[in-house]
Amino acid sequence: QVQLVESGGGLVQPGGSLRLSCAASGSIFSINAMGWYRRAPGKERTLVATISSAGSTNYADSVKGRFTISRDNAKNTVYLQMNSLKPEDTAVYYCKAMAMSTYWGQGTQVTVSS
């Protein structure tokens, strides 16, 4: 079993920044990759960014150049640094861990509004 605990969401003005954190516990040795996904109101959940156990990353085109995914293996934590935030980034952000099964965090609300 893998447990994911997220933090860092909140309300920010357009152009601002937030950093989301996702701390993993449990059978962390089984995790192959982690990522961030988001679901905007009334829309399907979509990929934001992923990072593999080898450190390779990929991003949705809509966030390239603005968001950065990283991990701290010693802390079993993955981060999403979000800069130059736009209102369309408003969504519930979910942390995902890929092991033998898929695990999801509870989600954290990010609201970008003036």
Side-chain angles (χ1 to χ4, degrees), residues 6-8 16 28 44-45 78 80 94:
E6 302 166 345
S7 62
I28 56 176
E44 297 295 317
R45 183 164 55 192
V78 64
L80 184 68
Y94 298 90

Side-chain angles (χ1 to χ4, degrees), residues 75-97:
K75 296 181 178 180
N76 301 316
T77 300
V78 64
Y79 304 94
L80 184 68
Q81 178 66 48
M82 304 185 293
N83 299 325
S84 302
L85 283 161
K86 304 174 181 179
E88 51 263 45
D89 295 319
T90 296
V92 177
Y93 284 70
Y94 298 90
C95 181
K96 178 183 178 181

Side-chain angles (χ1 to χ4, degrees), residues 48-90:
V48 176
T50 61
I51 185 166
S52 73
S53 59
S56 61
T57 60
N58 76 294
Y59 298 88
D61 188 64
S62 59
V63 307
K64 286 181 179 177
R66 300 189 298 121
F67 291 11
T68 303
I69 188 170
S70 62
R71 72 181 194 275
D72 185 334
N73 290 333
K75 296 181 178 180
N76 301 316
T77 300
V78 64
Y79 304 94
L80 184 68
Q81 178 66 48
M82 304 185 293
N83 299 325
S84 302
L85 283 161
K86 304 174 181 179
E88 51 263 45
D89 295 319
T90 296

Side-chain angles (χ1 to χ4, degrees), residues 95-109:
C95 181
K96 178 183 178 181
M98 297 295 297
M100 293 189 68
S101 300
T102 299
Y103 300 90
W104 293 94
Q106 77 285 354
T108 184
Q109 176 70 231

